[in-house]
Amino acid sequence: MTEEPYEIYGAVQSVMNSRAPVVQVAGNNTAPINILRRPKLRTVRIIEGDRNAARFPLWVETNSAIRAAEIMRQSGLAVIQGPSGTGKRTSGIHGLEVGLGPSSCEKLFEIAADWDEEEAPDQDILPDPVPGYGYLIDITSRPVKKTAADCLTSWADELRQVGAGVIITGTRTDWSGDSRYCVMAESPDVIEVARRHLVAENDGEGHARWLWPSDEDGHGIDIFANLITPRMSPADAVDAVMRFRRIELSRINDAYELYSNLADQQVREQGFSRLNEIRDEVLQWPDFLEQKLTGAGVRGRDRLMLLSAAFLENEPVELCLRAAAEFYKNDSINPRRFREGKSPRRRMEDMGVTISEVDTVTFAAKPGLAASVIRMDWHHWPDERVATVDWINRISARNGVASGCLQGIGRRLLEISKKPADSPFFEVLSAWIGACSETDDRIPVIADLVNKAAEVEELRREVHRLLLVWAKGDSVPHRLVAARVCNLRYGIRWPRIGLVRIRHLLSRDDAAASVAAKAMITYALISDENKTRVISTVRSWLEKHPTQASTSRAFLSLVHSAEPPGVIDSLLRLVSGDVKIHDFLVSGWATALSQPEVHRQAYTTLRTWASGVQAGWLDRDVTYGLLSEIRDAHTPIDALSHFLYGMPEEDDQALINARVALANLPVCDHGHRAYVRPPLSHDMSGDLHANKIEE
C-alpha cells in the first residue's frame, strides 16, 4: 500500500512529506492544518494454545529461544532464522516470555507482515511502544529488505527503552538487516516434544506407555518402535501422537493380548497384524501403500482406481471408475479392463477403499489414507507427474467426468503442495481459471481454494504474487478470482496487501471491479478501525494517483449511499466538525467528477445521496450543504450537470427534491469557511476509534 505522508492543506502555504509531529509555518496562514497518519498494522493477541506450547510443561528447551531472548533484551529485536519445521514460531514465543518476564504472558501479540514491497514498515504503522508488550512477526511471506530492516531496528530500540521487544521469524534469506540480531533455529528434541504433548492430554499416560515403555512395563518395545523419529518436525510429531491418542486404548490392548498368545501362532499373527495396522494408521499408511502400490502387476489399473478414489472421495463408484479410465488419453489401457476379473468394488476394497451403502467411495476404515495415496503417488513416481496433472485437468474440465468436483480435487492438491516438490496446485488452478467465463459458478470455488492456500506458509508468498499479477491483468476470470479472494479471510488478515490489489482491480470497469468494490466496503464495515484504514487508504490514492480511474471508482464506491449502515453515514455525521473529513469528501468528488471514465458511476452515486435524503438515511442539511459546495467548486459539464439539471428518463421525486433544495442554497464563499480546527496531534483515526488491539 502506498505511503500516506503528513500534509498541510491550505491556499496560503503547504508542506509535503513532513515526518515531524509538529509543523512550524512561517508567516500568516489561514488555512486549516491536517496531519494525516497511516493506520497501524493489524495486531492480534497470540492465542493461549500457542502460548502453552511455548512454556512448561510442554516446552522443550532450545538454545535458539534462549539466545533470542538475550539479544532481544539488549537491543529490543531478535531474528530467528531457519527452514520450515524447526519450531521457529514456538521458539519465538518462548523467547518473548523469557526476555520480557512471566508477567508478559498476556501481552504477546502477532503483527501481520502487511506492507507492500514498495514501502517500509516505519513507525507510523508499527504499534506504539508499551511497557511489557512483546511482538512476533513472521516474514516468510514478506521478505524484509535493508530499508525495512532499518525501520524495524529503530522501532525495536524504542521498544527496548520501555521494556518491550519484538522477535522476527523467517528463513535465512528473508532478513536483510544487521546479522548481529540473528539466531539460527535449533529444532527441539522431537521425541520429547511429542511425549510432553501426549502426556498433557487427559489419560495420555496410558498411550505414552505404548510409545515409550518403562522397564517394568515389559511390552510394546518393538511394536511401536520408531513411530516418532528424531528426523520428524515438531509439528509432524505432535500431529502423529495426537492421531495415536485418538485410537482407543482398548483396541491397542486387545491387539496386544492376541499378539501375546504364544500358544497359538495364528492368533499371534492376527494380533501382530492389528498392531501394525494401528501403527500404519498413525503414520498415515506408508507400509500399507508400499505393499499395495509397488507389488508386481498392480501399478496399472489398481493404482489408477485407488488414485481416482483418493481425489474423488465421497463421489459415486462409477464416477471414480470413469475417471480412472481417463488417465491414459492414448487408451493404452482400455476402459473395459477396469471391469475384468474381480468386480471393481472388490478390487477397490482390497486397496483400502470403503464402499458406502449409497455406493460412494470413502476411506472411513482407513482415515488419512486418501491424502497418503496422493502424496505417495506424487513423490514416489516423479516421472508420471506430467501425466497426473494432465489427467486432473482432463477429468475436471467443464465437460470432464469430474467437472463438479473441483473443491475436493483442489483440497487434495493443496495437501500435497505443502511440500516443495514441484507443486501442482497453482498449475491446475490456472488451467481451471483459464477455462472459466465471467459468470462461471466455478470461480467462487477456485477463490476459496486460493484463500486456503494463503494460510499455508510454503505457498503464501506465491499467493501474494499471483493475486497482484491477476489484479493487474486483462483476464476477467483471473481478476474475478483475485477480487473474491480479497473479500475472504485473505483481505482481513492482510488488509494493506489486499487493498493494493483492489486498487488495481478498480482500474477497469468490469465485473471484477464491482466485486472488488464490494470487498472494500465489506471490510470497512467490520469495525471502526477497518473503516479508518479504508478511508485513509482511499485518501492517499486521491493524493498520489488523482488521474487514475481506479482512485475515483474507489472513492465513489466508498461514498455510495446504500441502505444503512454504510461508510457515508459515518462520514456525514462527522463532516460538520471535522475539516479533514469535509476536505476528503469535497476533494474526492472534485477528482471523481473530473474523470470521464467514471461519469456514469458518479451520477449513480449522486442519485443515491438524493435517495438517502428522501428515505431519511442521510441528514438533509448536511448532505445538501456539502453538495452545494461541490456544485459551486465544479464546472457542471458531466455527471453533476445531469444530477442538477436532469435526465428526464431517470428523474424521480428524490432527484427533484434535491434539485429544489440545492437551487435554494446560496453559493458558498470558499475563501472564508469557518471550521473548528482539531489539535495537531489529532488524526482521523481518533474519530473512528482506530488502532485498537484485536483480541
Side-chain angles (χ1 to χ4, degrees), residues 77 79 113 115-122 139-154 168 171-178 461:
L77 166 72
V79 182
W115 56 85
D116 194 49
E117 295 286 359
E118 300 176 355
E119 69 175 3
D122 56 34
I139 60 172
T140 52
S141 64
R142 186 65 36 183
V144 172
K145 299 179 181 178
K146 182 66 168 60
T147 303
D150 291 343
C151 291
L152 288 169
T153 303
S154 176
I168 297 172
T171 68
R172 298 188 65 174
T173 59
D174 291 332
W175 173 259
S176 300
D178 195 328
R461 190 178 300 184

Side-chain angles (χ1 to χ4, degrees), residues 199-217:
V199 171
E201 292 287 311
N202 292 333
D203 196 32
E205 282 285 3
H207 286 79
R209 290 175 61 204
W210 286 101
L211 294 176
W212 305 287
S214 60
D215 293 339
E216 58 268 20
D217 289 330

